[in-house]
Amino acid sequence: MPEVLLQTEALTRRFGALSAVDGVSLAFEEGQVHALIGPNGAGKSTFLNLLSGELRATAGLIRFRGADVTRTAPDRLSRMGLGRTYQTANLFPELSCADCVWLAAQSRLPSSMSFFRSAERYAQVGVRAARALEWCGLAARGDAIAGRLSYGEQRQLEIAMMLATEPSLLLLDEPLAGLGHDEALRIVELLRKVARGRTVVLVEHDMDAVFSISDAVTVLVDGRVLATGSPSEIRASAAVREAYLGEEIP
Amino acid sequence: MSLSLFVLQIVNGIEYGLLLFLVASGLTLVFGVLGVLNFAHGSFYMLGAYLAWWLSERTGSLLLAILLAIPAMVLIGVAVERLAIARLYARDHLSQVLLTYGLVLLFNELQRALWGNDVHGVRTPAALAWTMPLGETQTWPAWRALTALACVCIGVAMRQIVLKTRFGMRVRAGASNAEMVEALGIDVRRLFAIVFSAGTALAGLAGMLAAPLTTVYPGMGENVLILSFVVVVIGGIGSIRGAFFGALLVGLADTFGKVLLPGFASAIVYAVMAAVLLWRPRGLLGPAFEGR
Amino acid sequence: MKRRLILLAAAAALGAVAFSGDRFWLQFLGKAMIGSILAMSLDLLVGFTGLVSLAHSAFFGLAAYLLAGLSNRFDLVNPIVTLPLCVAFAAGCALIIGWLSLRATGVYFIMVTLAFTQMLFYLFNDSPALGGSDGLFVKARPIEGRAAAYVAIWTAVVLVYLLLSRMLRAPYGRVLEGILGNEQRTRSLGYPTRRYKLVAFVIAGALAGLAGYLDATLHGFVNPAQLGWRQSGLILVTVLLGGKGTLYGPALGALLLAFIEHYGERVTAHWNALIAALVIAVVLFLPRGLAGLVPGTRRA
């Protein structure tokens, strides 16, 4: 029985009268890619924001490695090993790629409250940053300014920054949204590589990508879990087809 | 403290709070709709007071002076908005702070050049130079009562306009979402100019009403500006209702502070603000704090 | 490289003035260099962290007042004791005010720092025990003699510049850069950003305290107006005029502003109108300041 890395219990988030996430209980197992799918407004992004600490839950629990992290701040969660990417590229638009990744890698120093030694002399940070850039195919783009990258490259940089923090759990929020066909293929390959040996929570609309990379799929509708299962079970489920897939896949 | 003195302090506190509300409501409205933090708001208060003094010296009647000064304040508001503030809508807070700070310096110099550095008293109109008894020993001057009444009326009128009219709907839409206003096809330029000059006139009117109470002196706008900031921070920026309660709170805290802890009166107001901030970092009626 | 040479030349020229012994220039340039310390330290917040603080003059004034108090009440002037005490006092106050103010963000932060500044202003202005609106004389100064005080100020400017430029290149400076660019993302990368901002606020406050200490030493006098929000506004103007996000810009901006103030006062009685026009013009037409005119520079 594989270990559960992250678990939610009746997780709920309300905005006024609207329940964006409504009593979601899910378990994410170590080493698996677990996809969340569902129509727009199903609460997938809200759910991710709850997991990463950027939104506070109205009710329910989140456990990470058994510890209650429901009210833990995003920076603590990051240092506990949770990494994430954002739906719209959420970078440092004025910094170079190398500096973005450097900042990410530097966060794993015991403390960055260091005032006198030049940052360049932290060799291990530089090595980790360079490795993450190279992994994501941006080795040659180190000097490019993040805000001026192409959409696809910005996604690569997002992933590189996330990897540079050496996370054990990855939250990916629609990594393929807005990409052209070729760019999407490139990112899917990258995701496949990234997912190897890591635990991933993936929110994505591209069904082909979801079914090809995921080990488990959960369908969210109106903030609730409609079904959870292996990709083939989800594909076969009549209820899921009716509620959701029928509209997206011919 | 005797009962009648206590009642008098309450009355004074509320009255001061209402005057602050006139100033702060303009400040919060301009920030809410235009997104501009206007440090020159206190200067409008000062200009209003100086205009009231200067025009009442000329015309011999404070009421006539006020009637003349209000349209003048509206014109000043339109001019400032068109010439300076309109260039700030897309800029960061730092630019707004500095440009409006430059305006503060400019208005201070203008006041110095036009009217000098002397302190001037303004006489209340003869018809209102009587007092009402309050308890056994205290009295309440009619001008003060009228001032408080005027503030209440303006507050109520503002509420009606904002809640009940088409124009008020646009203001509310502007305060919550500027893009939506554009999408609705509202002339944003005009809306902004109207709101800004209304804010200017409110601050100026507060200065005119206060002129007989506080005398007219250089730098009188700054104290009021800072207190309005405190009011807005306490009430929640952009919220007129918040400004109302914040202003009453500040008015009462300031008045009672002066009686109970002389020497620390001004500090008490800020202590109230610090307490509110600790409890609700976005003010009493501001959007609830969300760790995002 | 060229910039470094200009800075070195400016520093050397300012240092050489110490030997001239001219009373006016020692006083005038000494004051201008104190402005440089204020501007550089405020730029740590405004230009490098994205925090627009109006509390800077408060920490300047608090340290100056403490020096006056130590000197007048306790006959304590020895700089080895008073300097650390005054700077630590400013830092401590910055810690408290910063901790409270940083609960707020954006415009709230601006308004809250402004409110605290005015609270302190009225505290000193209204209480006769603290000198009231006239302020206080510093009976015995830590450093006697204008030339000696000037040398101390010059040394402080150089050290503050070196300290800040070093800090900004260290890991800490990288985090500030991240906060300036995208605070939410910096936080999600694992940095407790509020703590980093608070540390910046305290460092800037301590340096403002240093400036206040030196000012009270040079002039032998403190008054509440030095502590008020208009003073903070003027430091902000210096930062913007010189160019936020650089260290040399604000440092040189302070010198330039001192000259404008000095000669402006001679030309017209309404020199404040001149400053006002300058401020408005810089905001509208030169948002990156004078440093923005230097090609190819981004960071000090």
Side-chain angles (χ1 to χ4, degrees):
Chain A
M1 177 95 183
E3 203 187 325
V4 172
L5 189 62
L6 181 77
Q7 195 172 13
T8 67
E9 289 166 20
L11 194 63
T12 300
R13 168 70 202 203
R14 277 189 281 273
F15 295 103
L18 173 83
S19 292
V21 172
D22 192 2
V24 172
S25 300
L26 284 172
F28 300 93
E29 289 172 4
E30 182 116 45
Q32 282 208 332
V33 176
H34 192 142
L36 298 176
I37 61 173
N40 280 327
K44 300 168 307 236
S45 284
T46 306
F47 184 70
L48 273 200
N49 286 335
L50 290 171
L51 293 185
S52 67
E54 267 146 310
L55 276 178
R56 280 268 175 92
T58 313
L61 265 184
I62 307 169
R63 287 180 197 285
F64 183 49
R65 296 186 194 281
D68 180 355
V69 294
T70 317
R71 299 194 156 268
T72 305
D75 52 289
R76 287 271 333 263
L77 284 168
S78 166
R79 274 174 288 134
M80 288 168 81
L82 184 143
R84 74 164 290 181
T85 65
Y86 292 83
Q87 210 176 82
T88 50
N90 186 354
L91 302 158
F92 301 96
E94 315 227 315
L95 298 190
S96 69
C97 292
D99 284 345
C100 286
V101 183
W102 181 290
L103 187 61
Q106 185 190 286
S107 68
R108 300 304 113 164
L109 287 177
S111 168
S112 287
M113 286 279 185
S114 157
F115 302 101
F116 299 113
R117 209 163 138 218
S118 172
E120 269 108 47
R121 289 171 62 193
Y122 290 78
Q124 78 279 28
V125 175
V127 168
R128 212 179 306 134
R131 201 165 48 202
L133 266 188
E134 198 188 325
W135 242 73
C136 300
L138 289 172
R141 303 285 281 152
D143 292 330
I145 300 297
R148 300 203 196 118
L149 295 178
S150 74
Y151 220 64
E153 283 176 323
Q154 292 196 347
R155 287 300 154 84
Q156 286 165 270
L157 181 57
E158 279 261 1
I159 295 167
M161 283 165 63
M162 178 183 67
L163 290 180
T165 65
E166 303 190 321
S168 53
L169 172 70
L170 316 182
L171 309 180
L172 305 175
D173 196 357
E174 299 197 22
L176 304 178
L179 296 185
H181 182 71
D182 293 347
E183 280 181 322
L185 282 182
R186 203 165 74 223
I187 301 292
V188 168
E189 271 324 295
L190 178 57
L191 290 181
R192 217 186 285 280
K193 205 166 77 170
V194 166
R196 217 165 286 148
R198 289 191 172 92
T199 312
V200 178
V201 180
L202 170 69
V203 167
E204 184 47 63
H205 274 297
D206 184 330
M207 287 307 131
D208 292 338
V210 165
F211 287 120
S212 77
I213 348 183
S214 307
D215 304 302
V217 177
T218 290
V219 184
L220 282 180
V221 175
D222 293 333
R224 294 177 190 203
V225 176
L226 183 72
T228 297
S230 69
S232 50
E233 283 167 358
I234 292 298
R235 225 195 271 264
S237 156
V240 174
R241 270 179 178 278
E242 193 183 330
Y244 173 54
L245 290 183
E247 305 160 11
E248 296 264 325
I249 295 179
Chain B
M1 196 189 291
S2 72
L3 184 66
S4 63
L5 185 62
F6 181 75
V7 171
L8 181 74
Q9 294 309 332
I10 297 247
V11 168
N12 281 345
I14 291 177
E15 185 194 297
Y16 186 37
L18 286 170
L19 211 53
L20 272 179
F21 166 69
L22 276 200
V23 186
S25 60
L27 191 70
T28 206
L29 202 62
V30 166
F31 183 82
V33 179
L34 282 67
V36 169
L37 188 59
N38 180 19
F39 277 71
H41 202 68
S43 302
F44 298 144
Y45 174 87
M46 176 200 63
L47 278 180
Y50 267 93
L51 279 176
W53 160 72
W54 187 68
L55 288 171
S56 66
E57 294 280 292
R58 294 286 163 287
T59 61
S61 156
L62 179 60
L63 292 176
L64 187 60
I66 290 178
L67 285 180
L68 289 171
I70 289 176
M73 289 309 300
V74 171
L75 286 181
I76 291 172
V78 172
V80 170
E81 197 270 342
R82 276 296 103 204
L83 294 176
I85 307 291
R87 294 162 197 270
L88 286 176
Y89 295 139
R91 301 282 291 275
D92 58 3
H93 295 318
L94 177 65
S95 309
Q96 301 179 354
V97 169
L98 280 173
L99 192 131
T100 55
Y101 170 82
L103 290 176
V104 172
L105 296 181
L106 200 64
F107 282 124
N108 280 347
E109 261 335 274
L110 193 72
Q111 164 258 313
R112 223 152 64 87
L114 287 178
W115 296 305
N117 277 338
D118 296 335
V119 177
H120 301 285
V122 176
R123 246 180 311 162
T124 46
L128 290 161
W130 43 276
T131 60
M132 290 179 249
L134 199 73
E136 296 124 41
T137 50
Q138 313 291 341
T139 54
W140 197 24
W143 179 260
R144 288 179 165 239
L146 184 82
T147 300
L149 189 68
C151 292
V152 170
C153 290
I154 292 166
V156 171
M158 247 163 66
R159 190 185 141 82
Q160 291 308 98
I161 290 172
V162 169
L163 291 181
K164 300 279 160 68
T165 64
R166 278 186 68 80
F167 174 74
M169 185 203 77
R170 289 170 189 175
V171 170
R172 273 181 294 147
S176 58
N177 188 342
E179 279 159 41
M180 191 172 82
V181 178
E182 301 232 33
L184 287 173
I186 294 168
D187 184 350
V188 177
R189 260 173 62 111
R190 230 187 73 187
L191 176 71
F192 282 9
I194 293 174
V195 168
F196 190 84
S197 47
T200 307
L202 281 172
L205 179 62
M208 298 168 209
L209 291 173
L213 307 176
T214 64
T215 70
V216 175
Y217 55 96
M220 67 185 292
E222 274 164 48
N223 191 9
V224 166
L225 171 75
I226 314 288
L227 280 179
S228 313
F229 276 169
V230 173
V231 165
V232 170
V233 168
I234 289 177
I237 193 159
S239 161
I240 292 182
R241 232 157 63 87
F244 182 75
F245 292 116
L248 287 185
L249 194 61
V250 169
L252 286 169
D254 190 75
T255 308
F256 275 91
K258 275 187 183 123
V259 177
L260 298 175
L261 282 169
F264 291 96
S266 31
I268 286 184
V269 170
Y270 300 99
V272 170
M273 182 195 75
V276 169
L277 268 181
L278 279 173
W279 175 41
R280 289 190 61 131
R282 292 190 190 183
L284 293 177
L285 296 177
F289 184 71
E290 178 65 69
R292 245 197 97 108
Chain C
M1 206 57 231
K2 208 168 155 194
R3 179 156 40 89
R4 234 181 232 179
L5 281 177
I6 295 172
L7 278 177
L8 264 176
L14 283 171
V17 173
F19 300 104
S20 75
D22 184 279
R23 285 171 57 93
F24 170 76
W25 284 107
L26 288 179
Q27 184 95 1
F28 175 75
L29 288 175
K31 191 177 165 220
M33 285 195 292
I34 289 169
S36 293
I37 298 178
L38 280 172
M40 283 191 285
S41 53
L42 183 61
D43 197 29
L44 175 68
L45 300 180
V46 174
F48 290 98
T49 317
L51 288 173
V52 180
S53 165
L54 286 171
H56 218 55
S57 59
F59 307 124
F60 174 92
L62 284 168
Y65 266 101
L66 181 62
L67 177 63
L70 290 174
S71 167
N72 297 356
R73 292 265 168 94
F74 304 102
D75 287 322
L76 198 59
V77 283
N78 188 342
I80 295 171
V81 184
T82 51
L83 177 63
L85 265 180
C86 292
V87 171
F89 179 59
C93 294
L95 182 68
I96 297 168
I97 290 177
W99 184 77
L100 276 168
S101 309
L102 284 168
R103 293 178 61 81
T105 52
V107 278
Y108 278 89
F109 177 79
I110 302 176
M111 293 198 285
V112 173
T113 53
L114 171 73
F116 280 120
T117 303
Q118 284 313 89
M119 171 175 97
L120 291 167
F121 167 78
Y122 286 116
L123 191 70
F124 283 93
N125 194 63
D126 295 350
S127 47
L130 297 169
S133 57
D134 294 336
L136 291 171
F137 281 102
V138 184
K139 267 194 221 145
R141 306 182 195 182
I143 302 166
E144 288 297 343
R146 269 213 186 80
Y150 183 87
V151 170
I153 294 167
W154 182 85
T155 314
V157 173
V158 172
L159 287 180
V160 168
Y161 178 83
L162 292 176
L163 173 83
L164 287 177
S165 57
R166 185 137 206 146
M167 235 173 67
L168 290 165
R169 277 199 304 269
Y172 178 72
R174 296 276 180 127
V175 180
L176 294 190
E177 201 171 29
I179 292 173
L180 177 71
N182 186 341
E183 178 173 357
Q184 173 264 335
R185 186 57 195 258
T186 308
R187 196 159 179 231
S188 85
L189 287 177
Y191 298 103
T193 49
R194 200 194 285 174
R195 199 178 310 158
Y196 281 83
K197 291 194 290 185
L198 183 57
V199 169
F201 197 83
V202 171
I203 292 171
L207 295 179
L210 171 67
Y213 179 89
L214 293 170
D215 191 79
T217 301
L218 181 70
H219 294 105
F221 178 71
V222 280
N223 75 46
Q226 293 175 310
L227 205 130
W229 79 280
R230 272 208 242 173
Q231 211 54 36
S232 276
L234 210 57
I235 310 170
L236 264 185
V237 169
T238 318
V239 171
L240 194 81
L241 174 70
K244 65 176 165 139
T246 69
L247 284 178
Y248 67 96
L252 299 178
L255 300 181
L256 181 67
L257 206 64
F259 277 100
I260 294 176
E261 184 176 340
H262 179 65
Y263 289 103
E265 251 168 355
R266 284 191 189 174
V267 175
T268 160
H270 298 287
W271 79 274
N272 259 320
L274 202 77
I275 294 286
L278 180 77
V279 172
I280 293 170
V282 169
V283 173
L284 290 182
F285 306 115
L286 208 63
R288 290 179 60 216
L290 295 174
L293 299 175
V294 182
T297 51
R298 206 168 66 87
R299 285 282 134 99

